[in-house]
């Protein structure tokens, strides 16, 4: 009986069988022709990597056990002990913690570049500088990097550009097409999209770098499990539809919040008064994503009342699920920064980040309206 499943089954196995030594030698002689051990490769994790690679237009990709593993793999693919990296100051707190606490211990040093100086990197470059790490849309203040311009600056200085594209997704922006060398995702977020997977992915523009990523993934044990891979592939199938709804809803929410007296500021690139609005429109093909942040009074009591009253936006410190949620950068994602760094970045007591889902937007607006009336 021939079985031809439309959907790839879950290969929930840690190891694969060989007939004899001849077949074992074929495994090593013809890479990719067979499977041996799921840390080295599995049909499900390979399928996910191939699909993310296709979405980003890369030369090769790996799937990893988390977004943090994707960041680690990206940096290790380009750096060794004694090297120096540049990192945008506006970055996910986990990225800066990895650089500060762990990679520094391994002899890789870091300098942070304020957003205003991203296109003037020469003063920050050292003889051992290898790359710049930045985000397409920054976490949590939604600043937008001009990736084409940034790639030109980096390459002019002999640096690689590594872009965390988690907030945008390849539906909005494809960094490799704009000149980036590596693009990474927390697949946990938009790519999977249902808050039921922890995963990451890295895509390389160059095949040799992609092979290096593969080696790092195998030897460091960063590999994603078969079941998580299968769930992420299933989530990818609706990514294009979801991103349109996330973007539609977030714009409506941002416009509503901008009119509310209790909201001191709204950070969303889809608003015409956002400093990088036109750039975001160009890079996002008219979509601006589902993430936004708002500034309430810098008063813990006010923020707590807002969080407790939100029914449509439960306090769940992650993002990008089909269901809306909110997070508190000062106490979660950017908690490890010094008070001075938090202040410089504008991450204050009153800053709340919203991940706008794909629910009927009228319900989200009604919920926010009743919350804000009570502040």
């Amino acid at each position: 009986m021939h079985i031809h499943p439309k959907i790839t089954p879950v290969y929930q196995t840690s190891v694969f069988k060989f007939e004899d030594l001849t077949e074992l030698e074929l495994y090593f002689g013809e890479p990719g022709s067979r499977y041996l051990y799921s840390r080295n490769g599995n049909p499900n994790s390979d399928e996910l990597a191939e699909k993310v690679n296709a979405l980003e237009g890369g030369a090769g990709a790996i799937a990893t056990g988390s977004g943090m593993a994707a960041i680690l793999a990206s940096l290790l693919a380009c750096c060794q002990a004694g090297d120096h990296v540049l990192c945008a100051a506006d970055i996910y707190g986990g990225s800066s913690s990895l650089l500060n606490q762990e990679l520094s211990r391994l002899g890789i040093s870091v300098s942070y570049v304020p957003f205003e100086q991203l296109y003037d990197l020469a003063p920050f470059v050292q003889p051992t500088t290898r790359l710049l790490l930045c985000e397409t849309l920054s976490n949590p203040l939604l600043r937008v990097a001009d990736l084409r311009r940034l790639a030109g600056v980096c390459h002019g200085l002999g640096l690689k550009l590594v872009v965390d594209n988690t907030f945008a997704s390849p539906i909005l922006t494809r960094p490799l097409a704009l000149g980036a060398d590596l693009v990474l995702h927390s697949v946990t977020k938009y790519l999977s999209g249902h808050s039921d997977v922890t995963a990451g992915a890295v895509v390389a523009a160059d095949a040799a770098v992609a092979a290096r990523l593969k080696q790092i993934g195998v030897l460091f044990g960063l590999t994603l499990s078969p079941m998580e891979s299968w769930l992420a592939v299933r989530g990818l199938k609706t990514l294009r539809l979801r991103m349109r709804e996330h973007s539609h809803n977030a714009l409506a929410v941002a416009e509503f919040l901008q009119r509310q007296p209790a909201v001191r500021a709204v950070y969303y690139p889809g608003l015409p008064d956002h400093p990088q609005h036109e750039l975001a429109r160009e890079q996002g093909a008219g979509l601006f994503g589902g993430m936004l942040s708002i500034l309430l009074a810098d008063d813990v009591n006010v923020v707590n009342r807002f969080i407790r009253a939100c029914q449509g936006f439960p306090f769940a410190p992650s993002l990008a699920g089909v269901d809306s949620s909110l997070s508190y950068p000062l106490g979660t994602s950017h908690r490890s920064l010094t008070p001075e760094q938090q202040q410089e970045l504008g991450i204050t007591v009153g800053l709340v980040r919203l991940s706008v889902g794909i629910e009927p937007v009228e319900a989200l607006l009604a919920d926010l309206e009743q919350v804000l009336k009570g502040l």
Side-chain angles (χ1 to χ4, degrees):
M1 180 174 62
H2 295 288
I3 300 174
H4 302 286
K6 186 172 185 289
I7 306 299
T8 304
V10 182
Y11 287 84
Q12 193 66 51
T13 180
S14 61
V15 68
F16 297 82
K17 294 186 292 186
F18 288 82
E19 290 294 328
D20 53 25
L21 294 180
T22 302
E23 194 174 359
L24 177 67
E25 289 308 310
L26 286 173
Y27 167 80
F28 288 102
E30 300 175 10
S33 65
R34 290 160 176 78
Y35 290 99
L36 168 72
Y37 184 58
S38 279
R39 174 167 59 81
N40 297 29
N42 177 287
N44 297 116
S45 56
D46 284 356
E47 182 182 27
L48 175 60
E50 288 161 10
K51 288 188 178 298
V52 177
N53 184 62
L55 281 169
E56 289 286 9
I62 61 167
T64 64
S66 68
M68 287 299 297
I71 298 167
L72 176 64
S74 300
L75 296 171
L76 292 181
C78 304
C79 300
Q80 61 185 8
D83 284 345
H84 172 252
V85 304
L86 299 178
C87 182
D90 290 83
I91 201 83
Y92 166 54
S95 300
S96 57
S97 294
L98 174 65
L99 286 161
N100 296 342
Q101 298 173 29
E102 294 301 328
L103 291 188
S104 62
R105 189 171 60 82
L106 302 180
I108 299 171
S109 59
V110 60
S111 298
Y112 291 94
V113 183
F115 184 81
E116 296 74 21
Q117 294 173 268
L118 265 186
Y119 311 105
D120 183 24
L121 295 177
F124 299 91
V125 174
Q126 301 175 12
T128 55
T129 307
R130 299 291 175 246
L131 61 86
L132 170 72
L133 171 65
C134 73
E135 296 170 338
T136 309
L137 303 172
S138 76
N139 181 4
L141 291 177
L142 284 301
R143 292 181 170 128
V144 186
D146 186 335
L147 297 182
R148 191 183 301 280
R149 182 182 175 191
L150 202 49
V153 171
C154 287
H155 296 159
L157 295 166
L159 310 180
K160 291 188 184 299
L161 176 60
V162 180
V163 179
D164 184 335
N165 200 32
T166 298
F167 270 29
S169 89
I171 304 306
L172 270 66
T173 306
R174 298 169 78 223
L176 299 184
L178 299 175
D181 299 282
L182 284 165
V183 59
L184 65 95
H185 289 271
S186 174
V187 173
T188 311
K189 312 305 192 299
Y190 284 117
L191 297 193
S192 180
H194 293 75
S195 305
D196 56 7
V197 167
T198 303
V202 192
V203 185
D206 179 80
V209 178
R212 179 78 181 116
L213 285 170
K214 175 73 172 176
Q215 182 181 30
I216 288 167
V218 170
L219 295 181
F220 278 81
L222 306 180
T223 318
L224 185 61
S225 73
M227 190 67 211
E228 299 281 274
S229 302
W230 187 89
L231 285 168
V233 167
R234 184 176 67 168
L236 277 178
K237 293 175 182 178
T238 58
L239 177 62
R240 191 171 304 278
L241 300 175
R242 288 187 284 106
M243 289 310 299
R244 289 173 186 162
E245 286 302 299
H246 283 298
S247 298
H248 171 267
N249 284 0
L251 180 58
V253 167
E255 290 172 342
F256 169 79
L257 290 170
Q258 203 172 37
R259 300 191 296 268
Q260 306 308 307
V263 179
R264 295 159 58 204
V266 180
Y267 304 96
Y268 183 65
L271 295 173
D273 61 355
H274 187 282
Q276 295 92 44
H277 174 67
E278 288 305 321
L279 171 64
R281 179 188 297 280
E282 178 187 346
Q283 281 192 173
L287 298 176
F288 301 96
M291 300 302 301
L292 62 96
S293 289
I294 61 173
L295 188 62
L296 303 173
D298 279 323
D299 182 332
V300 171
N301 293 323
V302 170
V303 174
N304 262 331
R305 288 205 304 273
F306 180 86
I307 291 173
R308 289 177 189 135
C310 275
Q311 301 300 310
F313 292 83
F315 183 17
S318 187
L319 59 104
V322 290
D323 301 313
S324 296
S325 63
L326 66 80
S327 187
Y328 187 61
L330 191 66
T332 59
S333 58
H334 292 72
R335 188 185 189 95
S336 65
L337 300 184
T338 66
E340 293 75 23
Q341 289 171 321
Q342 292 166 343
Q343 195 67 36
E344 285 173 14
L345 292 174
I347 300 172
T348 64
V349 171
L351 188 72
V352 176
R353 192 189 71 194
L354 302 182
S355 174
V356 183
I358 65 171
E359 306 95 335
V361 71
E362 297 79 12
L364 297 176
L365 297 177
D367 180 57
L368 290 168
E369 185 172 23
Q370 64 86 18
V371 171
L372 293 167
K373 280 181 180 175
L375 290 189

